[in-house]
């Protein structure tokens, strides 16, 4: 959405803009909220230099002195930007333990925030069945998304492990032996890790598997559905606990508080030969690509967005609070007028009492600047009966069928620009190399010459060859660069990729997309 509005603006503007440095406002802390925390639409869609300047001044943003924006980018430069974070991993059909339901996956990220607040994860379960994939959309900073992307898949995998495997983990820890690996990670070289917090994360993961060992019902391990639900809730509880308890040093403490007071949404898929479980919290999305008998493509959503457009979700939250708060719980399509996703990890300012929040922030090293940690002493309005937010995932199961070809997991930065059907068609035609054109309808045959010309341009655009081998890159390119007739516009794409960090977030969001190609042949023995 932002991309298309901005491209229209660029057409009316010169290709060089000059921005002057501004002075940030002094005094009270100003919450530098990202898209999920929500500046208004008019703020994000400023169309002139003066409006942009006012927006930057209001939010305390810096622009470099007389910074020139050159929207003229060569195809090589555009490709370099788009492909810098792409990843493609081909998986063996048989890995020594069983058949794999995923034959390969493509993934990519494009940042709008600096640093990028999105994260992604992919791993094979080594002590249980299946693979795990996740996309994570941070808000109020990147800290929570970073921690969840590192930790959540471990919690899911451990919850699925049978008791003998958990006992071996515990014996290895007790004797200081090498711990048997739980996951085989498939990481991009640019993926980050909280190395200083690794021991803390391991300690709390160990507490989690010790609790599972004490559970008499854990002998065979949890089902994927149970494991996903348990892992989401337990990790969020650990994030809250780590912000409240004393830690060994100031760095660990400040990191734990950053993680707890920022937030992230998450969409995680467990895929094996039986089917796909998708656990979703927030407004990331999972969409299955289905190939019809005539070769066309259909989109099957495997998750629901948890935002104000989801009326059942809005009613669920309102029902948890007194009738006197029905008009204030959701305001301006945001939780308490502030937060767009209605479920998330972290975001303790929507979960804990005011007193506990103040005690946590007061425990930081005296004199520590909260701004330097991207922390703000901010209480949402009408904060009367917390908690207002939870992490509980909504879990969907889909049994694999021969016509199920791929699964798209993506943060809302992609879905802001592409409909489910459009994204599936792009990946499907990228996969098959066949562009299915609907027959010209009787109505279309009666079009005037100018309208017929427009129709032909649209059909020609759909038949254009793909420029990217990576399907996730293909999606991002089309999300930001599609022109009026469905064609790829070099001008539009260049304008979106060359905005400096001060402006980029006003017109588009961070985008993360992962496309899983399914071994659909494995589904055939289950048919009739």
């Amino acid at each position: 959405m932002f991309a298309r509005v901005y491209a229209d603006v660029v057409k009316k503007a010169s290709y060089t803009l000059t921005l002057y440095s501004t002075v940030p406002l002094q005094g009270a802390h100003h919450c530098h909220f990202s898209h999920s925390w929500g500046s208004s639409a008019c703020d994000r869609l400023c169309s002139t230099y003066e409006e942009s300047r006012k927006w930057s001044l209001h939010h305390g943003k810096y622009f470099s002195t007389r910074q020139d924006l050159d929207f003229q980018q060569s195809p090589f430069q555009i490709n370099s930007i788009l492909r810098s974070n792409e990843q493609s991993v081909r998986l063996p059909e048989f890995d020594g333990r069983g058949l794999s339901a995923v034959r390969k996956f493509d993934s990519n990220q494009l940042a709008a925030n600096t640093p990028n607040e999105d994260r992604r994860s992919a791993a094979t379960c080594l002590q249980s069945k299946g693979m795990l994939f996740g996309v994570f959309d941070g808000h109020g900073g990147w800290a929570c998304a970073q921690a969840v992307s590192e930790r959540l898949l471990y919690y899911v995998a451990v919850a699925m492990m049978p008791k003998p495997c958990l006992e071996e983990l515990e014996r290895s820890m007790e004797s200081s032996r090498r711990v048997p690996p739980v996951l085989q990670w498939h990481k991009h070289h640019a993926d980050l890790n909280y190395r200083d917090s690794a021991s803390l994360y391991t300690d709390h993961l160990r507490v989690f598997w010790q609790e599972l060992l004490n559970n008499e019902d854990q002998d065979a391990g949890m089902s994927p559905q149970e494991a996903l639900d348990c892992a989401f809730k337990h990790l969020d509880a650990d994030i809250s606990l780590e912000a409240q308890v004393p830690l060994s040093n100031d760095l660990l403490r400040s990191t734990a508080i950053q993680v707890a007071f920022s937030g992230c949404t998450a969409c995680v898929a467990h895929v094996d030969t039986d089917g796909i479980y998708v656990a979703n919290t927030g407004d990331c999305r999972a969409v299955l690509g289905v190939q019809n008998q005539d070769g066309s493509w259909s989109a099957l959503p495997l998750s629901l967005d948890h935002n104000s457009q989801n009326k059942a979700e809005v009613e669920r939250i309102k029902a948890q609070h007194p009738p006197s708060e029905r008009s204030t719980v959701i305001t301006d399509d945001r939780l308490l007028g502030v937060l767009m996703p209605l479920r998330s990890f972290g975001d303790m300012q929507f979960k804990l009492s005011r007193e506990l929040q103040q005690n946590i922030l007061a425990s930081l090293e005296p004199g520590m600047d909260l701004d330097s940690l991207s922390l703000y002493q901010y209480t949402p309005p009408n904060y009367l009966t917390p908690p207002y937010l939870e992490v509980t995932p909504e879990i969907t199961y889909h049994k694999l069928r021969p016509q199920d070809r791929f699964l798209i997991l993506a943060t809302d930065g992609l879905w802001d620009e592409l409909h489910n059907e459009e994204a599936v068609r792009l990946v499907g035609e990228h996969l098959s190399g066949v562009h299915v054109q609907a027959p010209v309808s009787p109505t279309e045959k009666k079009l005037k010459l100018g309208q017929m010309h427009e129709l032909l341009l649209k059909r020609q655009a759909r038949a254009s060859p793909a420029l990217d081998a990576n399907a996730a890159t293909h999606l991002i390119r089309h999300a930001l660069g599609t022109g009026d007739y469905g064609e790829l516009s070099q001008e539009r794409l260049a304008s979106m990729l060359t905005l400096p960090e001060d402006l980029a977030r006003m017109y588009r969001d961070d985008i993360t997309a992962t496309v899983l190609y399914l071994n659909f042949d494995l589904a055939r023995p289950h048919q009739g």
Side-chain angles (χ1 to χ4, degrees):
M1 177 179 63
F2 300 156
R4 291 169 185 170
V5 173
Y6 182 72
D8 292 338
V9 171
V10 170
K11 290 180 181 177
K12 301 173 185 177
S14 64
Y15 280 101
T16 304
L17 304 179
T18 304
L19 303 177
Y20 298 88
S21 60
T22 63
V23 180
L25 297 174
Q26 301 296 318
H29 296 302
H30 292 269
C31 298
H32 301 226
F33 294 146
S34 66
H35 172 49
S36 291
W37 290 72
S39 55
S40 67
C42 62
D43 283 340
R44 295 197 304 273
L45 301 177
C46 295
S47 60
T48 66
Y49 157 65
E50 186 59 29
E51 287 171 331
S52 299
R53 180 181 172 279
K54 289 177 181 177
W55 188 93
S56 67
L57 189 63
H58 172 70
H59 288 270
K61 295 278 189 179
Y62 288 99
F63 286 127
S64 59
T65 304
R66 297 190 62 84
Q67 183 176 8
D68 292 334
L69 309 185
D70 181 9
F71 295 122
Q72 300 294 344
Q73 289 271 343
S74 69
F76 176 81
Q77 291 170 309
I78 289 175
N79 291 340
S80 295
I81 296 171
L82 282 175
R83 297 171 182 170
S84 61
N85 292 309
E86 71 179 5
Q87 177 188 24
S88 187
V89 176
R90 185 169 292 276
L91 300 160
E93 186 171 343
F94 184 80
D95 63 5
R97 298 180 305 118
L99 293 170
S100 173
V102 180
R103 59 185 180 86
K104 76 166 187 174
F105 70 90
D106 290 342
S107 184
N108 201 356
Q109 293 185 300
L110 182 69
N113 291 290
T114 303
N116 188 355
E117 294 182 351
D118 279 4
R119 295 294 186 270
R120 59 186 170 181
S121 295
T124 301
C125 298
L126 296 177
Q127 310 278 349
S128 56
K129 292 174 59 180
M131 295 187 68
L132 290 165
F133 298 88
V135 292
F136 311 93
D137 187 351
H139 48 259
W142 51 268
C144 188
Q146 177 62 43
V148 173
S149 70
E150 289 183 46
R151 305 175 68 181
L152 181 58
L153 302 197
Y154 276 118
Y155 280 66
V156 178
V158 164
M160 291 190 295
M161 288 168 57
K163 184 166 286 187
C165 294
L166 294 177
E167 290 172 341
E168 178 60 26
L169 288 182
E170 183 60 23
R171 284 194 296 268
S172 298
M173 291 290 287
E174 288 177 349
S175 60
S176 299
R177 291 186 286 111
R178 180 177 178 270
V179 177
V182 174
L183 294 171
Q184 177 188 348
W185 287 92
H186 306 287
K187 288 185 176 290
H188 185 266
H189 64 81
D191 291 345
L192 303 174
N193 285 297
Y194 270 141
R195 296 189 182 279
D196 295 315
S197 301
S199 60
L200 174 66
Y201 294 168
T202 301
D203 289 343
H204 279 194
L205 181 64
R206 184 183 183 186
V207 171
F208 178 51
W209 79 56
Q210 288 172 338
E211 292 177 7
L212 295 174
L213 282 170
N214 292 328
N215 183 351
E216 295 180 357
D217 298 328
Q218 181 63 23
D219 288 352
M222 293 184 182
S223 69
Q225 179 173 356
E226 295 169 326
L228 287 162
D229 183 73
C230 180
F232 272 63
K233 293 174 180 176
H234 207 291
L235 176 56
D236 196 56
D238 281 352
I239 287 171
S240 177
L241 177 65
E242 289 158 8
Q244 299 175 47
V245 300
L247 296 175
S248 59
N249 60 62
D250 291 334
L251 177 60
L252 277 180
R253 178 119 188 103
S254 61
T255 300
I257 293 177
Q258 276 183 294
V259 170
F261 280 82
S262 59
C264 84
T265 62
C267 189
V268 174
H270 176 271
V271 187
D272 65 21
T273 53
D274 294 327
I276 302 171
Y277 286 91
V278 172
N280 186 56
T281 286
D283 52 10
C284 297
R285 195 179 301 170
V287 179
L288 189 69
V290 180
Q291 189 166 33
N292 304 314
Q293 289 186 346
D294 63 358
S296 62
W297 296 92
S298 297
L300 178 62
L302 296 188
S303 66
L304 296 174
D305 297 349
H306 299 134
N307 55 30
S308 62
Q309 305 306 308
N310 184 334
K311 301 306 179 186
E313 184 71 2
V314 171
E315 287 304 314
R316 179 190 67 82
I317 293 174
K318 288 183 176 180
Q320 295 176 346
H321 300 277
S324 59
E325 294 186 58
R326 285 191 66 85
S327 63
T328 58
V329 171
I330 306 293
T331 306
D332 295 331
D333 293 330
R334 292 175 172 84
L335 184 64
L336 297 178
V338 178
L339 191 65
M340 292 183 71
L342 302 182
R343 302 190 198 190
S344 72
F345 282 92
D347 286 321
M348 293 303 158
Q349 56 271 58
F350 294 89
K351 297 176 180 177
L352 304 179
S353 69
R354 292 187 184 188
E355 294 74 20
L356 184 52
Q357 292 181 45
Q358 291 168 356
N359 290 339
I360 291 172
L361 294 176
S363 70
L364 286 166
E365 184 181 5
M368 181 171 288
D369 180 19
L370 296 184
D371 278 352
S372 67
L373 297 178
S374 298
L375 291 172
Y376 309 97
Q377 290 178 299
Y378 175 81
T379 301
N382 301 300
Y383 197 73
L384 305 174
T385 55
Y388 288 88
L389 189 66
E390 63 182 68
V391 75
T392 304
E394 195 165 13
I395 300 175
T396 303
Y397 173 71
H398 177 80
K399 186 176 180 63
L400 283 177
R401 307 166 300 175
Q403 62 266 40
D404 301 330
R405 298 306 176 91
F406 55 84
L407 178 69
I408 304 172
L409 294 175
T411 56
D412 68 336
L414 182 79
W415 307 115
D416 285 343
E417 313 296 341
L418 295 175
H419 297 298
N420 292 353
E421 294 76 11
E422 190 177 4
V424 165
R425 179 186 64 79
L426 284 167
V427 175
E429 294 181 352
H430 182 271
L431 170 64
S432 66
V434 176
H435 304 271
V436 179
Q437 301 280 13
V440 177
S441 67
T443 303
E444 290 173 333
K445 290 178 181 179
K446 298 177 183 179
L447 293 176
K448 296 179 180 179
L449 184 60
Q451 295 171 316
M452 180 61 74
H453 177 66
E454 181 176 327
L455 175 64
L456 291 173
L457 288 175
K458 290 180 179 179
R459 293 171 72 89
Q460 182 182 14
R462 285 194 56 173
S464 300
L467 300 177
D468 303 289
N470 185 296
T473 308
H474 182 67
L475 280 174
I476 295 173
R477 184 187 296 272
H478 280 264
L480 299 183
T482 299
D484 296 333
Y485 301 110
E487 83 286 4
L488 278 172
S489 167
Q490 186 88 351
E491 174 185 307
R492 188 185 295 262
L493 193 55
S495 68
M496 294 309 302
L497 295 179
T498 53
L499 287 167
E501 62 185 70
D502 313 279
L503 290 175
R505 191 56 196 85
M506 294 161 61
Y507 301 106
R508 60 180 177 86
D509 197 359
D510 300 325
I511 299 176
T512 296
T514 299
V515 180
L516 321 179
Y517 293 98
L518 303 171
N519 269 326
F520 57 89
D521 284 340
L522 298 178
R524 289 181 178 168
H526 298 292
Q527 301 307 303

